[in-house]
Amino acid sequence: MADVAAAAGVSTQTVSRALRDPASVSGETLQRIEEAVRNTHYVQNFAASHLASNRSMTVAAIIPAISTSIFAETIQGLSDVLLPEGYQVFLGHTDYVAAREEALIRSLSGRRPDGFFIIGTQHTRDATHILKRAGVPVVESWGLTSRPIDLVVGFSNHAAMKTVVNHLADRGYHRLTFAGVMKPGDDRAKERRKGFLDAHGERFPGVEPQVVTVASNSMIMATGAELLDLVRATYPETDAIVFTSDVLASGAVLRCNDLGVRVPADLAITGFGNYDIAGHLRPSLTTVAIASRRIGMLSAELLLARMQNKPVTERVIDIGFELLVRDSS
C-alpha cells in the first residue's frame, strides 16, 4: 500500500480510504490511485481489513446443483444486486444431500460471510443451529415456511402442482401419473408430489393416484425418456404425465416424437420451471413459470438491507408462480 501511495502521490490512509470507499475521495485522486494499483500490481489484503472492520464483504450461497440452469438464474440475480455494492458471492452445492449442506454451512461459517443465501427451507437441526448462531442475515428460497430461520423469498411448490392437476382435470384428462426424480434431500420435489396427490384426491375421489419415480438418476432429458417408458409400461392407461421438472418433461416429449405418440392427442405432458427449451419444443411444453432471477434479486436486496442495518418490513415474500398453458396439454 505504501508503494501505491508513493506512486499516486497520496498518503497510505488515503489509499486505504479510497479502496474501502471510492466515493470518499475525489474523482481525480481515485483515478491516480487506481492507476497506481495497476502499475504496482497491488493486491489488497482483505483479511487484514476484514479483521479491522468485522466485515468480510462476502455472501455465502448454497444451491442444490450447479448444473441446473434455473438455479444459475437465481444466482445471477443475486450477484447482479450484490456485486455493485462490493460484495462477492461464495458458492457451494449440496447435490440434495442434507449432511453435505450442513458441512457446507459449517465450513462457510468459519469464513465469516456477512450473509447466507440458501435454496431450500428444510435443514438438519445442527445446520439450523449454526445459521442462527452466526449472527448474520439468512435468506431461504425456492419454498415457503411458516418458521423461517430469518428471511424467506419463495413460492408454494404444493400450490403450483395443484394448479397443474386442476388444469389437466379441467381439460378432461382423468388418468394422471406423477413422474420425477425424487432424491432423498429434494424437499421441493416432495412438496410437488404432495400437491399432486392432494389435488388428485380432490378431483378424482376414490381413484388410486399413479406415481412413478426414481431416486438416483440424473436430472437430464434421458431420464425423462426413461420415465416415459416406465410410465407407459406401469400405467398404460395414463392420459397425462405430470413431471417434476421441464428437463424430464422435455426428454419425454422428444421420446414421444420418436415413438409416434401424439402429444397431447394420445398423451398430455406437463413440466415445471419454464426452462428455455420448454417454449421451443414441438409441441411446446405446458409448465409452471417461476421468476427465478427475481428470487435472487429480492433475496440480495433483503440481505443488503440487513447488512447495512436498514429495516426490513417483510420477513416472508411469496413471489407466486404462473401456469403457462401451451400445446402439450
Side-chain angles (χ1 to χ4, degrees):
M1 190 177 291
D3 293 338
V4 173
V10 298
S11 67
T12 55
Q13 289 88 346
T14 301
V15 173
S16 177
R17 189 168 68 253
L19 294 176
R20 186 174 63 254
D21 182 12
S24 66
V25 300
S26 69
E28 187 270 336
T29 298
L30 180 62
Q31 184 176 354
R32 294 207 320 269
I33 291 173
E34 289 176 340
E35 184 178 353
V37 166
R38 288 192 296 270
N39 291 339
T40 60
H41 307 291
Y42 172 70
V43 177
Q44 189 175 2
N45 183 352
F46 286 106
S49 61
H50 294 168
L51 286 172
S53 65
N54 199 31
R55 297 170 64 197
S56 68
M57 300 303 293
T58 63
V59 167
I62 299 176
I63 65 177
I66 292 176
S67 60
T68 305
S69 62
I70 201 163
F71 294 148
E73 291 177 4
T74 297
I75 296 301
Q76 185 66 59
L78 187 80
S79 300
D80 286 346
V81 175
L82 291 176
L83 288 178
E85 297 292 329
Y87 287 88
Q88 299 293 327
V89 176
F90 288 164
L91 186 64
H93 73 98
T94 68
D95 199 26
Y96 297 96
V97 178
R100 184 168 176 175
E101 182 191 72
E102 180 184 319
L104 269 172
I105 290 171
R106 191 181 301 275
S107 175
L108 290 170
S109 292
R111 289 162 173 76
R112 298 295 186 267
D114 294 331
F116 273 94
F117 170 80
I118 303 175
I119 289 182
T121 59
Q122 298 188 36
H123 322 282
T124 66
R125 180 179 299 179
D126 284 350
T128 300
H129 185 65
I130 294 168
L131 289 168
K132 287 183 175 180
R133 290 197 56 175
V136 299
V138 177
V139 175
E140 298 167 277
S141 69
W142 273 83
L144 292 176
T145 176
S146 59
R147 300 180 62 184
I149 293 173
D150 186 14
L151 307 161
V152 175
V153 178
F155 61 95
S156 173
N157 287 274
H158 181 272
M161 193 55 79
K162 288 190 69 173
T163 299
V164 173
V165 172
N166 285 327
H167 158 69
L168 291 171
D170 289 343
R171 286 286 175 97
Y173 299 100
H174 61 280
R175 299 301 297 172
L176 279 56
T177 298
F178 176 90
V181 175
M182 301 293 292
K183 294 182 180 292
D186 190 351
D187 298 311
R188 288 162 301 287
K190 293 175 184 176
E191 290 175 10
R192 293 170 196 174
R193 179 176 59 187
K194 189 175 187 307
F196 172 87
L197 294 174
D198 288 348
H200 190 279
E202 294 169 3
R203 297 303 298 263
F204 308 106
V207 178
E208 188 70 20
Q210 300 174 167
V211 174
V212 173
T213 62
V214 292
S216 59
N217 300 52
S218 298
M219 188 69 74
I220 55 178
M221 285 195 285
T223 301
E226 293 171 10
L227 281 167
L228 171 74
D229 292 341
L230 190 56
V231 168
R232 297 184 73 218
T234 308
Y235 300 111
E237 70 277 16
T238 297
D239 59 6
I241 306 179
V242 178
F243 282 96
T244 56
S245 167
D246 280 359
V247 175
L248 303 175
S250 297
V253 169
L254 295 175
R255 176 69 170 154
C256 284
N257 292 340
D258 292 339
L259 295 174
V261 176
R262 299 171 300 165
V263 179
D266 299 327
L267 181 67
I269 291 176
T270 64
F272 201 107
N274 194 32
Y275 287 48
D276 286 341
I277 192 174
H280 297 285
L281 285 173
R282 291 295 176 266
S284 56
L285 185 64
T286 293
T287 187
V288 175
I290 306 298
S292 54
R293 184 183 291 258
R294 185 164 176 257
I295 289 177
M297 295 180 70
L298 288 175
S299 297
E301 290 170 3
L302 289 176
L303 287 170
L304 276 176
R306 279 286 178 81
M307 292 185 298
Q308 296 171 354
N309 297 316
K310 296 177 182 177
V312 171
T313 57
E314 291 184 90
R315 291 186 62 204
V316 178
I317 297 178
D318 184 351
I319 67 163
F321 56 85
E322 180 184 3
L323 177 67
L324 299 180
V325 178
R326 297 193 179 114
D327 298 334
S328 69
S329 64

